[in-house]
Amino acid sequence: MKMVSVTDTGRVRSVNEDRAVIQHDVGGYSLAIVADGMGGHQAGDVASQMTIDIIREELKSLSSSMTVEECKLAVKEAIRSTNRKVFEYASAREELQGMGTTVVVLLASGQLAILGHIGDSRAYKISGPSILRLTEDHSLVNELLKNGQLTPDEAERHPRRNVLTRALGTEPDAQPDVQHLSLESGDILLLCSDGLSGLVDDQTILSIVRGESELEAMAQSLLQAALDAGGDDNITIILASGDSGPASGGDPA
């Protein structure tokens, strides 16, 4: 599984509170994580970095002999355990109280991928001429959209579109969404913070990815599109493909 990542502070923010990591050979899987931190006084980058570090540690015990359901449970429990540790750490430090982060976790091997997420960082699958959003935003605006109280156009412009209904580290317990999916030859998985998805629509993402032949070029073109659209948030992108050559990556972005 080849994976690449890019991250950028953007054109407005002074600190990058996003974190990303790629790690290969985690119990026979390739692991990718994107976390978008939030909180004043740089607490957001503390939350996102802790989340990346703890989830990696929690998943070290994965084994290639585990079933898909066991791996899904491991991802769920890794996220919930991380949530407890981040919440307890922040609760004991006045300057960090209220900090939190989104997270999206990918385990991928061959034709199988397992995804876990909390918040509004997203995962997509790009397959042939189509793009499929794999995650559902845990946000106020998405709840209003599902209930028919907003149209898609209204949701895009809503002043509270960044308000989350679920995040990691803000409550004693958290309930991540976890799923598994099958991959076919040529499929590309995209993980991103809302610095990309909040400024670049799904169809534009699809056309950019399909306009490039290499993952590195796709990632740089997506990053540039978000910057060109204003770059008003931190931007983080991970792309993964099962048949794009030898594995690459490894260090936190």
Side-chain angles (χ1 to χ4, degrees):
M1 178 68 63
K2 180 172 183 179
M3 296 180 172
V4 300
S5 69
V6 294
T7 189
D8 194 279
T9 305
R11 301 193 186 281
V12 175
R13 304 290 179 88
S14 59
V15 175
N16 192 345
E17 295 184 323
D18 286 3
R19 294 293 185 272
V21 72
I22 292 167
Q23 183 175 336
H24 297 286
D25 197 22
V26 180
Y29 289 89
S30 293
L31 170 68
I33 312 171
V34 169
D36 178 357
M38 56 193 181
H41 309 293
Q42 298 189 9
D45 52 343
V46 174
S48 57
Q49 187 64 56
M50 284 185 67
T51 294
I52 292 281
D53 293 341
I54 297 169
I55 289 176
R56 290 174 79 181
E57 186 67 24
E58 292 280 335
L59 292 176
K60 281 172 61 175
S61 60
L62 278 178
S63 166
S64 57
S65 64
M66 294 170 68
T67 66
V68 171
E69 290 304 316
E70 287 172 335
C71 286
K72 286 171 64 179
L73 181 60
V75 169
K76 180 178 181 178
E77 290 308 312
I79 295 173
R80 293 186 67 192
S81 175
T82 301
N83 178 85
R84 288 192 295 272
K85 292 175 181 178
V86 171
F87 178 79
E88 289 168 2
Y89 186 85
S91 297
R93 293 161 177 81
E94 185 176 351
E95 72 277 12
L96 298 180
Q97 288 183 15
M99 78 175 185
T101 184
T102 71
V103 71
V104 57
V105 179
L106 167 68
L107 287 174
S109 178
Q111 294 179 308
L112 173 68
I114 295 168
L115 278 169
H117 90 286
I118 292 178
D120 63 356
S121 292
R122 292 180 180 176
Y124 294 86
K125 181 173 78 168
I126 296 158
S127 182
S130 65
I131 182 169
L132 175 65
R133 193 183 303 176
L134 299 170
T135 52
E136 181 177 304
D137 293 348
H138 299 142
S139 67
L140 172 64
V141 163
N142 191 50
E143 291 298 320
L144 296 174
L145 185 62
K146 288 194 298 181
N147 293 336
Q149 295 174 256
L150 291 177
T151 67
D153 285 344
E154 289 170 338
E156 286 184 10
R157 301 188 302 272
H158 199 281
R160 302 187 70 193
R161 61 186 179 276
N162 294 325
V163 175
L164 299 181
T165 55
R166 270 191 260 175
L168 188 150
T170 58
E171 300 288 342
D173 193 19
Q175 292 297 327
D177 292 344
V178 182
Q179 60 181 295
H180 73 275
L181 61 145
S182 298
L183 303 176
E184 297 181 359
S185 178
D187 285 353
I188 294 170
L189 296 176
L190 164 65
L191 311 184
C192 64
S193 62
D194 66 344
L196 175 69
S197 58
L199 290 175
V200 184
D201 65 70
D202 294 5
Q203 290 304 310
T204 302
I205 290 173
L206 174 63
S207 69
I208 290 170
V209 169
R210 284 303 171 214
E212 304 284 357
S213 59
E214 299 292 334
L215 290 186
E216 293 86 350
M218 295 173 196
Q220 290 296 332
S221 294
L222 289 169
L223 173 60
Q224 191 60 52
L227 291 171
D228 291 345
D232 61 5
D233 201 351
N234 306 148
I235 307 153
T236 299
I237 296 160
I238 292 179
L239 289 166
S241 176
D243 56 358
S244 297
S248 71
D251 294 328

